Amino acid sequence: CFEPEAKGYLVEGLPFHKFYFATANSGAASGNHTTLSNETMEGPKVRKLGDTAALLTYVRLNQIVDKTGSHVTIATEESRVWQAIGENEWKLVHLHRSQVR
């Protein structure tokens, strides 16, 4: 679904939403200084670039309950270039990350 916490991105599945229910009484606001977080990969797309390379693009939604007990979502757009090394082995050769404002 689309909702403000998803920063305008379509979120599918329950883990993103479950995080809010699971952390509602986390105790962060009452002095528990443990930072809770959850990451969701949304809209992954893979494009093969010949036989030896592939491009993966997606949006990472990082949900955090900060030390004051507030829920914060940080969205980043990421791209990763993978190179085939031998048979059935891939190596990450480039990563780019841009924070969505």
Side-chain angles (χ1 to χ4, degrees):
C1 77
F2 291 101
E3 55 186 59
E5 294 84 5
K7 301 292 186 182
Y9 293 95
L10 173 64
V11 174
E12 298 182 48
L14 295 177
F16 182 86
H17 305 288
K18 185 177 179 182
F19 178 77
Y20 292 102
F21 296 111
T23 59
N25 297 315
S26 65
S30 63
N32 178 356
H33 295 293
T34 302
T35 301
L36 304 172
S37 66
N38 181 58
E39 292 189 6
T40 304
M41 179 189 289
E42 284 304 319
K45 292 182 180 61
V46 177
R47 180 175 180 176
K48 284 199 72 174
L49 306 172
D51 292 333
T52 61
L55 172 66
L56 169 64
T57 60
Y58 57 93
V59 173
R60 179 187 303 265
L61 297 174
N62 188 9
Q63 298 164 275
I64 299 169
V65 177
D66 66 15
K67 293 177 183 177
T68 68
S70 299
H71 286 85
V72 178
T73 303
I74 300 167
T76 56
E77 294 175 336
E78 299 186 11
S79 60
R80 294 175 183 246
V81 178
W82 294 85
Q83 181 180 4
I85 308 294
E87 290 187 36
N88 300 322
E89 186 177 343
W90 290 83
K91 178 179 179 181
L92 178 65
V93 294
H94 179 75
L95 164 66
H96 179 80
R97 180 179 297 143
S98 296
Q99 187 168 343
V100 178
R101 303 217 185 267

